[in-house]
Amino acid sequence: MPRPPAPETEFRPFKRWAAWVVPSFVVVNVVLFLITMYVNDCPKYSLSCFARFLGRFSFQPLKENPLLGPSAAALEKMGALEVSKVVGRHQAWRLITSIWLHAGVVHIFANMLSLVFIGIRLEQEFGFVKIGLLYLISGFGANILSSLFLQSTISVGASGALFGLLGAMLSELLTNWTIYANKFGWVSQKHTRPGSCAASSKPKHKPYQYVLWTGAAVLLIGGMTGGLVMLFRGVSGNDFCSWCHYMSCFPTAKWSCKPQEVLCESTELGSQLNVTCLSNGRSHIYPSTDANSSRVRQLCSQLCS
């Protein structure tokens, strides 16, 4: 008597993983933003904070930071990417720490929303090791590139890491297009019943895919090595590409991508600090508590803007 056919099981070309690294990255980014706002403490240094009812967590004036966030001085203190400190003071760790910082609520909301929609799906398909490494490597490589073209301003954000994840998603789609077009085009031996013939099985990967992986690895290692050498030798990428800096900074009515030199005079009288911008003559009195050089530069930039 013939046996009834075994019930067919659903074939999945990828193992499904439980996503936990990407949600952890989101939590870390949000926590560090809150810590940055706590360190910023706008009411202590400015009289025109936005949403002052938030107290220590209130935002810098919109004219200074339209993204609803902290000052440049606070971001610098937390580990923002600043080329002069990376090269001149050997603070290469800023190439990593700046990935986890954000310039404002608008900035972090857009990035974390993208990370959730892109990253969780990729982690479920490829696991936490691959996606975690891809996130860090992409962010690190993006910061190297950014440092070569934006050498007079600070830089923060996970945008480079997110573009790496987006590129991986598109690459996975193109590389495994045959799987999506015909999910039963190849059958792994572990999905074949014992004793059955697997004559119709096909290799999981094609030769050109291995060639692409090898080429990508060579370009990645060579590009990062070359970028680091250029960075620490003081080479400016703007000497070779006059428009490439727009990839990291897009000018608007609120800010400019061109470096602006500002000069101020500051006088401390008791518990007050009088700062005067030499370019436009504007002057303002601030509390002098913890008025270090970084804060004075911040106030000077605010007055001269």
Side-chain angles (χ1 to χ4, degrees), residues 80-158:
L81 177 59
E82 188 173 1
V83 175
S84 61
K85 286 183 170 58
V86 172
V87 178
R89 300 186 185 179
H90 308 290
Q91 297 179 1
W93 46 267
R94 291 180 179 270
L95 292 168
I96 296 294
T97 56
S98 59
I99 303 173
W100 309 93
L101 302 176
H102 289 82
V105 173
V106 177
H107 190 199
I108 192 172
F109 178 77
N111 276 355
M112 294 304 100
L113 190 65
S114 301
L115 179 58
V116 168
F117 277 101
I118 298 174
I120 289 182
R121 184 259 177 188
L122 287 175
E123 185 178 352
Q124 289 174 340
E125 296 290 353
F126 300 103
F128 66 93
V129 175
K130 292 180 180 178
I131 299 307
L133 287 176
L134 178 61
Y135 185 90
L136 295 176
I137 292 173
S138 298
F140 180 69
N143 277 343
I144 295 175
L145 186 63
S146 179
S147 298
L148 294 175
F149 294 98
L150 291 176
Q151 301 193 335
S152 58
T153 59
I154 67 170
S155 176
V156 294

Side-chain angles (χ1 to χ4, degrees), residues 10-20 116-128 131 172 180 183 190-191 204:
E10 182 184 2
F11 171 69
R12 293 181 177 270
F14 300 107
K15 177 183 177 181
R16 302 290 291 184
W17 301 76
W20 64 270
V116 168
F117 277 101
I118 298 174
I120 289 182
R121 184 259 177 188
L122 287 175
E123 185 178 352
Q124 289 174 340
E125 296 290 353
F126 300 103
F128 66 93
I131 299 307
E172 183 262 342
Y180 291 106
K183 292 184 179 180
K190 66 181 181 180
H191 294 286
K204 184 176 180 180

Side-chain angles (χ1 to χ4, degrees), residues 20-31 100 112 115 128 131-133 135-136 165:
W20 64 270
V21 162
V22 169
S24 299
F25 285 173
V26 173
V27 172
V28 171
N29 278 277
V30 172
V31 169
W100 309 93
M112 294 304 100
L115 179 58
F128 66 93
I131 299 307
L133 287 176
Y135 185 90
L136 295 176
L165 295 181

Side-chain angles (χ1 to χ4, degrees), residues 93-289:
W93 46 267
R94 291 180 179 270
L95 292 168
I96 296 294
T97 56
S98 59
I99 303 173
W100 309 93
L101 302 176
H102 289 82
V105 173
V106 177
H107 190 199
I108 192 172
F109 178 77
N111 276 355
M112 294 304 100
L113 190 65
S114 301
L115 179 58
V116 168
F117 277 101
I118 298 174
I120 289 182
R121 184 259 177 188
L122 287 175
E123 185 178 352
Q124 289 174 340
E125 296 290 353
F126 300 103
F128 66 93
V129 175
K130 292 180 180 178
I131 299 307
L133 287 176
L134 178 61
Y135 185 90
L136 295 176
I137 292 173
S138 298
F140 180 69
N143 277 343
I144 295 175
L145 186 63
S146 179
S147 298
L148 294 175
F149 294 98
L150 291 176
Q151 301 193 335
S152 58
T153 59
I154 67 170
S155 176
V156 294
S159 300
L162 289 173
F163 275 111
L165 295 181
L166 181 60
M169 184 176 68
L170 295 176
S171 174
E172 183 262 342
L173 177 63
L174 295 174
T175 302
N176 298 307
W177 180 254
T178 55
I179 298 177
Y180 291 106
N182 182 10
K183 292 184 179 180
F184 293 93
W186 55 267
V187 180
S188 175
Q189 290 292 336
K190 66 181 181 180
H191 294 286
T192 306
R193 293 191 300 271
S196 63
C197 178
S200 61
S201 65
K202 298 181 181 179
K204 184 176 180 180
H205 302 294
K206 298 181 181 297
Y208 77 88
Q209 292 177 319
Y210 292 104
V211 173
L212 289 176
W213 291 336
T214 303
V218 171
L219 289 176
L220 175 66
I221 297 173
M224 283 193 171
T225 302
L228 286 172
V229 171
M230 292 175 63
L231 174 61
F232 286 101
R233 285 189 176 183
V235 177
S236 174
N238 296 300
D239 296 337
F240 307 96
C241 180
S242 60
W243 56 267
C244 289
H245 65 281
Y246 291 118
M247 292 188 294
S248 296
C249 178
F250 186 78
T252 69
K254 294 291 185 180
W255 64 76
S256 171
C257 296
K258 296 181 180 180
Q260 297 180 350
E261 184 178 2
V262 293
L263 297 175
C264 293
E265 284 184 349
S266 61
T267 305
E268 189 172 354
L269 300 173
S271 61
Q272 294 182 327
L273 179 70
N274 186 12
V275 181
T276 303
C277 176
L278 299 180
S279 60
N280 57 23
R282 293 171 61 184
S283 179
H284 202 282
I285 296 177
Y286 303 91
S288 63
T289 309

